[in-house]
Amino acid sequence: MTDESPADIDLAAPQYYLNRELSELEFQSRVLNEALDDRNPLLERVRFLSIFTKNLDEFFMKRVGGLKQQIDAGVTERTTDGRTPREQWEEAIDKARPMFERQAACYREEIRPALADAGIRVCDYDELTPDQRAEMRDYFELSVLPTLTPLSFDPAHPFPFISNLSLSLAVVTRDDDGDQTFTRVKIPQNRPRLVEVETDGDELRYVLLEEVIRANLDLLFPNVEVVDTAVFKLTRNAEVRRNEEVAEDLIDMIEEVLEQRRFATVVRLEIEADAPEAARDLLVEQLDLADREVFELRGPLDYRELMDLTDLDRPDLSLESWTPQPHPRFSDLDATDAGIGSGASPPETAAEDGDTIFDEIRRKDVLLHHPYHSFGDTVQEFLDEAANDPNVLAIKAAIYRTASDSKIIEALIDAADNGKQVAAMVELKARFDEQNNLEWVRRLEEEGIHVAYGTIGLKTHTKTALVVREEEDGVRLYSHVATGNYHSGTAKGYVDLGVLTADRDIGQDLVKVFNFFTGPSLDEEFRKLLIAPVTMRNEFTKCIRREAEHARAGRDARIVAKMNALEDPGIVEELYEASMAGVDIDLLVRDICRLRPGLEGVSETVTVRSVVDRFLEHSRIFYFENAGDPDYYIGSADWMTRNLDKRVEAVAPVEDTDIREQLRFILELGFADNRKAWEMNADGTYDQRDPGDGHEISMQRILMEQTLGGSNTPGVHRGISASHPDVPETLLVESDPSVMAPRDGAATADADEGEDKAEAGNESDIEAVAGAATESATEPTVEAGTGAPKNGDPQHVLDDFPEKWYVPSSRHYEYAVRTPDGDRDYRKTAEAAARLVEKYYGEE
């Protein structure tokens, strides 16, 4: 332990915080590892080479671009971790450089040879046969040459404009007088990058388009000598902003930002390692680049188009395909009966013929888990039915990102055509989706739909929809609160959660939120939802501090959270304080994490893990144990300053017991994963978990298997199972409503002594599903006021009934007591286990 007392530790000191940019690059290193990992199928490794390129392009456009902008503006203010913008810029670039080199080496030394061995050959041009070269020359002359526009730089021509992320060929030519000219040739993006070459056998052969162009430049530059060439690629700053307060029109402002982004400052030059020095120097000079911003690389400069190879019909080189499944709760519903249901089905009945999706939601909340559950058969179906249900009065939806052919938008248009009130919040400032969202705004407005498309000073990031429906007992509100966008494409590759509920309090809260989008102000009081930027930070802070108070009082205290990023310094400091108070804190943070786990005297009770797998982990779940009366939340916000203070976000409490069990299992499974999970060290580095000689546990694989099994098993109604033999740990507790502590947090002293009750389905400990019940102090086997077994010696009681208990495989429970009905109850101490043994078997 540290010699310092908690009061002596300055938790605002820079050494307690990791840098945001470097933490982001640590995540990208984990992404790259999926390409490096030879345990993955070959085409999955290819896919991650492409993903890594896309991610680093965005990192340089947004993060490095923003830092360069600050440097140019003379900003010297230090971040929470003590770095100036220039220091961050230098360290980020220096950390990224070897990552690009590892990517290139992986492709050159492993991926490309392995593809060739599998009959997929990406050739150098000089590997082609004479006949194949002739074929490529014909292809170039007929299909590529007409699309090219050479742009020369000489006294008669200014230096050409080079667009962001475009792949280019620098060509140095010499005329008869010996004069040299630099010309830029853009590699056309409307031609396949991987050009297929005809072969006599089954082998697939490709050659890169830039190599086809380079080999046939004599057709583009007749009567001059091509001296040298080099492939290069530019990255421009995407951090182009305007002051929203002075903008006359938000749409005009966004269009201006898009135009300015085209000509923004260059922040990176990638160029072939053997590029001619003259061409390299000219580019550096004309683009005003520092040497640090130049990346000389061997191999292709852009791996994005390699993603096309993953579409090949080669199951032997790919992961087993996955098709999102229908949700069991909706499988028996007849979509054609939308609007026919009476709206009066009692909540305890099962789905019946003629029931609508609204009958089912009113019966019981529904948890959706994408991409395990089909987006089209759940969220899309919810809005489609609403659009065509004669009893629906209004539909409101918040759109942050959506597909270019969005059926969600089409449903809103259908609803308006059917005479319903429709309101849509389409966020124009969603970076890199501005143009797509602009087009949807115009389309919706043309259909006469009420459209809000921005809030001064805030982005709308909440993922929510509201349906207002007239029923026999009055108007009901049906809500969808989710962690992911209304985007059918990303719903197939992003892991997200959503709750469909008829909870009136949540519905009324959403009414307030949607009124803010079209009205003048945001309410500051909500019944259940945590809403940023008005209540969310305070409510999360209260939850964290409440756990610390429980820990100081000797009560059970735990925080478990799953999110994309933990960046906000204020939340990090609160978590440090909670850890110092003794709260167990387990975090599943996919990406950025400023917190340092395992610091002596500061964060010794904190663990941080990250899961990187075939689907992007994007869901947010928050759990606070609250001395055995836990709170669960899901929603759109990460623990980042921008989410808590600068965006409109919505996080919903989860009160349904079945759904809480499903969320509990997701969290436990994340910490059980030993194949795709990484554990964070105090210095910000990560170590991948290794099953060693043990059984391999993959979170996403198990969820796919269980979803598939549930969709094919009659009588299964949960969207997610809450147990699996590969998940032995009982990480979390679930409250027993019969002994639930008061919701104002004033837990009784007797309740504070409570332990945890587990629910399990069979005799095997590793199949146990952790639940919890706070024990009542009025149990007849406990002496009043002592909390001890009647005979005073817990070990004596346990020795008398050796067959009634055992030591479970659990990090958090020392004893498992067999119950008379064949289940198990878990306890942390011998005293608690002995009390339970006496309760069940004391009269035997």
Side-chain angles (χ1 to χ4, degrees):
M1 296 293 290
T2 179
D3 294 333
E4 295 180 289
S5 69
D8 296 329
I9 297 176
D10 178 12
L11 292 179
Q15 67 263 29
Y16 296 120
Y17 299 86
L18 294 166
N19 180 259
R20 172 189 171 137
E21 319 308 341
L22 301 182
S23 183
E24 166 71 14
L25 287 173
E26 277 291 331
F27 167 64
Q28 300 304 341
S29 180
R30 300 194 292 280
V31 171
L32 177 59
N33 186 77
E34 290 297 294
L36 304 177
D37 191 342
D38 61 9
R39 295 175 297 176
N40 289 331
L42 181 57
L43 291 182
E44 183 72 356
R45 298 177 69 185
V46 170
R47 187 170 77 93
F48 272 96
L49 279 182
S50 175
I51 291 172
F52 178 78
T53 292
K54 179 179 179 295
N55 289 359
L56 266 292
D57 285 347
E58 291 193 5
F59 178 79
F60 271 83
M61 284 190 288
K62 295 191 297 186
R63 307 307 309 172
V64 176
L67 290 172
K68 188 168 182 179
Q69 197 171 53
Q70 292 180 55
I71 294 168
D72 292 343
V75 176
T76 58
E77 183 180 351
R78 294 185 180 274
T79 54
T80 302
D81 53 278
R83 290 172 170 85
T84 65
R86 178 168 291 279
E87 288 170 342
Q88 294 178 80
W89 175 75
E90 291 176 351
E91 290 187 56
I93 288 178
D94 290 347
K95 187 177 181 67
R97 192 178 306 279
M99 295 167 66
F100 289 119
E101 293 169 354
R102 287 200 301 274
Q103 179 191 31
C106 175
Y107 172 75
R108 187 175 61 250
E109 299 169 10
E110 297 182 41
I111 301 295
R112 187 180 172 190
L115 286 170
D117 290 343
I120 306 169
R121 187 178 297 277
V122 182
C123 304
D124 291 333
Y125 199 84
D126 57 13
E127 294 181 83
L128 301 180
T129 67
D131 288 345
Q132 289 171 336
R133 292 184 194 182
E135 173 199 342
M136 287 297 99
R137 190 170 179 86
D138 288 343
Y139 171 76
F140 173 79
E141 188 168 14
L142 295 174
S143 300
V144 179
L145 179 59
T147 71
L148 302 181
T149 304
L151 298 172
S152 297
F153 175 55
D154 56 32
H157 301 92
F159 188 79
F161 169 74
I162 303 171
S163 54
N164 183 42
L165 299 183
S166 62
L167 207 58
S168 300
L169 192 63
V171 182
V172 180
T173 59
R174 182 164 48 222
D175 61 21
D176 293 339
D177 295 330
D179 296 327
Q180 291 191 353
T181 300
F182 172 92
T183 301
R184 179 257 183 153
V185 179
K186 181 178 180 178
I187 308 301
Q189 295 174 317
N190 54 6
R191 298 282 80 195
R193 174 92 181 285
L194 290 169
V195 182
E196 189 169 357
V197 182
E198 288 189 13
T199 62
D200 295 333
D202 294 333
E203 182 184 69
L204 291 174
R205 282 201 169 200
Y206 300 94
V207 63
L208 293 174
L209 179 58
E210 57 263 35
E211 299 306 317
V212 175
I213 295 173
R214 182 169 10 214
N216 294 282
L217 283 174
D218 59 303
L219 297 177
L220 183 64
F221 297 101
N223 305 319
V224 293
E225 176 190 1
V226 176
V227 178
D228 217 334
T229 61
V231 179
F232 69 95
K233 171 184 164 185
L234 298 187
T235 308
R236 293 183 180 273
N237 179 19
E239 286 293 304
V240 178
R241 297 192 180 104
R242 278 201 58 195
N243 189 340
E244 297 176 32
E245 301 288 349
V246 301
E248 295 183 6
D249 182 271
L250 186 56
I251 288 181
D252 290 343
M253 189 199 81
I254 293 299
E255 289 177 333
E256 184 175 332
V257 165
L258 292 173
E259 182 67 16
Q260 290 177 354
R261 192 179 285 167
R262 293 183 59 231
F263 301 96
T265 305
V266 176
V267 297
R268 177 180 58 161
L269 167 64
E270 297 170 88
I271 192 167
E272 289 179 312
D274 57 353
E277 187 173 344
R280 178 195 182 281
D281 291 346
L282 180 65
L283 287 168
V284 169
E285 177 186 357
Q286 293 296 320
L287 299 170
D288 193 24
L289 291 166
D291 285 341
R292 190 186 295 271
E293 296 172 292
V294 180
F295 292 78
E296 299 180 5
L297 300 170
R298 294 178 59 200
L301 298 186
D302 194 322
Y303 295 87
R304 285 176 296 178
E305 285 79 13
L306 289 186
M307 185 71 79
D308 294 343
L309 295 177
T310 64
D311 293 330
L312 295 174
D313 185 18
R314 291 296 301 269
D316 56 316
L317 304 178
S318 307
L319 291 172
E320 187 175 353
S321 63
W322 172 251
T323 301
Q325 298 296 299
H327 194 287
R329 292 276 302 279
F330 298 154
S331 295
D332 297 330
L333 297 179
D334 184 355
T336 62
D337 288 333
I340 297 176
S342 67
S345 300
E348 67 273 9
T349 61
E352 299 177 354
D353 290 343
D355 276 358
T356 70
I357 199 168
F358 303 108
D359 295 319
E360 188 64 26
I361 295 169
R362 187 174 58 256
R363 188 173 292 116
K364 187 178 176 58
D365 291 355
V366 183
L367 180 68
L368 310 176
H369 201 192
H370 312 296
Y372 309 109
H373 297 139
S374 164
F375 182 83
D377 293 336
T378 54
V379 179
Q380 184 68 55
E381 186 64 30
F382 170 65
L383 292 175
D384 284 345
E385 285 204 25
N388 294 285
D389 185 335
N391 296 323
V392 168
L393 305 176
I395 303 175
K396 303 183 180 186
I399 308 295
Y400 187 71
R401 302 186 195 277
T402 191
S404 58
D405 58 348
S406 175
K407 292 183 180 180
I408 294 289
I409 299 288
E410 295 295 342
L412 298 180
I413 293 172
D414 289 346
D417 289 342
N418 290 333
K420 305 177 192 315
Q421 290 291 318
V422 179
M425 168 65 216
V426 182
E427 179 52 76
L428 289 185
K429 293 173 285 186
R431 188 156 27 200
F432 304 131
D433 276 276
E434 297 98 337
Q435 187 63 51
N436 186 55
N437 287 1
L438 270 173
E439 292 170 4
W440 280 124
V441 163
R442 293 184 174 116
R443 173 80 186 280
L444 289 168
E445 289 183 331
E446 288 171 358
E447 299 291 336
I449 292 173
H450 301 297
V451 183
Y453 42 77
T455 304
I456 299 299
L458 298 172
K459 277 186 180 180
T460 298
H461 192 249
T462 176
K463 290 87 166 65
T464 51
L466 180 69
V467 171
V468 183
R469 190 172 188 258
E470 181 78 55
E471 299 182 359
E472 290 183 357
D473 55 353
V475 172
R476 283 188 181 267
L477 304 176
Y478 294 89
S479 306
H480 179 241
V481 181
T483 69
N485 297 304
Y486 291 103
H487 195 301
S488 58
T490 58
K492 296 175 182 177
Y494 286 22
V495 177
D496 273 305
L497 293 162
V499 170
L500 288 168
T501 180
D503 185 297
R504 188 160 193 85
D505 287 339
I506 289 178
Q508 291 288 4
D509 283 348
L510 283 184
V511 168
K512 290 183 178 183
V513 172
F514 281 104
N515 285 343
F516 163 66
F517 295 146
T518 55
S521 63
L522 179 59
D523 203 318
E524 294 188 0
E525 294 185 7
F526 294 89
R527 302 182 184 190
K528 287 187 176 180
L529 293 181
L530 310 187
I531 299 295
V534 289
T535 66
M536 189 178 294
R537 177 184 288 278
N538 286 340
E539 291 303 315
F540 274 139
T541 299
K542 286 179 184 178
C543 289
I544 296 170
R545 290 179 179 177
R546 184 185 63 190
E547 295 304 308
E549 287 302 312
H550 284 316
R552 293 186 187 101
R555 300 185 286 266
D556 290 341
R558 178 176 294 276
I559 297 169
V560 185
K562 180 180 185 297
M563 68 196 83
N564 298 328
L566 171 53
E567 174 272 341
D568 182 72
I571 294 292
V572 172
E573 185 169 344
E574 292 291 343
L575 292 173
Y576 281 151
E577 293 274 11
S579 178
M580 293 164 71
V583 179
D584 289 328
I585 302 174
D586 295 290
L587 305 172
L588 279 170
V589 185
R590 184 199 76 211
D591 199 330
I592 301 163
C593 184
R594 279 192 182 274
L595 179 148
R596 294 179 180 267
L599 292 176
E600 186 177 9
V602 175
S603 56
E604 291 176 280
T605 66
V606 182
T607 61
V608 179
R609 288 187 183 168
S610 171
V611 174
V612 180
D613 205 341
R614 67 187 293 178
F615 305 131
L616 181 75
E617 290 293 335
H618 193 252
S619 59
R620 292 95 167 178
I621 309 172
F622 305 95
Y623 166 91
F624 302 94
E625 188 159 309
N626 192 28
D629 183 13
D631 290 325
Y632 286 82
Y633 297 90
I634 68 168
S636 61
D638 292 311
W639 279 347
M640 301 182 74
T641 302
R642 71 184 188 188
N643 297 103
L644 299 173
D645 299 336
K646 300 176 182 179
R647 291 183 172 185
V648 181
E649 305 272 10
V651 167
V654 176
E655 298 172 345
D656 182 277
T657 302
D658 281 343
I659 293 179
R660 287 158 72 111
E661 280 289 292
Q662 294 168 65
L663 296 178
R664 174 197 58 74
F665 178 67
I666 293 169
L667 293 174
E668 289 185 335
L669 187 52
F671 285 97
D673 192 306
N674 61 15
R675 172 63 182 89
K676 295 292 187 175
W678 298 71
E679 182 122 12
M680 185 181 181
N681 302 308
D683 63 357
T685 60
Y686 288 75
D687 297 321
Q688 189 169 34
R689 299 194 70 206
D690 187 344
D693 296 331
H695 185 56
E696 189 175 282
I697 302 171
S698 168
M699 177 184 188
Q700 294 188 4
R701 176 184 56 78
I702 288 173
L703 287 170
M704 283 187 285
E705 291 172 354
Q706 291 201 332
T707 305
L708 194 61
S711 67
N712 294 324
T713 304
V716 173
H717 300 292
R718 277 185 172 179
I720 305 167
S721 174
S723 65
H724 190 277
D726 284 347
V727 187
E729 295 183 335
T730 50
L731 181 67
L732 312 180
V733 303
E734 182 54 76
S735 56
D736 182 341
S738 66
V739 293
M740 188 177 290
R743 296 306 294 169
D744 61 4
T748 65
D750 291 337
D752 295 341
E753 292 295 321
E755 297 292 344
D756 306 305
K757 178 181 179 181
E759 301 171 358
N762 56 47
E763 198 65 12
S764 170
D765 167 66
I766 61 174
E767 294 179 3
V769 182
T774 307
E775 293 178 1
S776 170
T778 60
E779 289 179 1
T781 58
V782 180
E783 293 182 7
T786 68
K790 283 197 298 184
N791 61 15
D793 184 354
Q795 193 57 50
H796 179 74
V797 174
L798 297 177
D799 289 344
D800 283 348
F801 299 93
E803 74 283 2
K804 303 301 185 184
W805 64 277
Y806 62 96
V807 178
S809 300
S810 169
R811 285 195 305 149
H812 303 291
Y813 298 96
E814 299 296 329
Y815 298 87
V817 177
R818 303 182 192 279
T819 65
D821 60 3
D823 281 351
R824 284 172 298 280
D825 284 347
Y826 292 87
R827 294 296 182 266
K828 293 182 178 180
T829 65
E831 289 82 359
R835 288 199 302 270
L836 202 59
V837 168
E838 284 197 338
K839 174 182 176 181
Y840 290 139
Y841 308 108
E843 301 302 323
E844 292 185 6

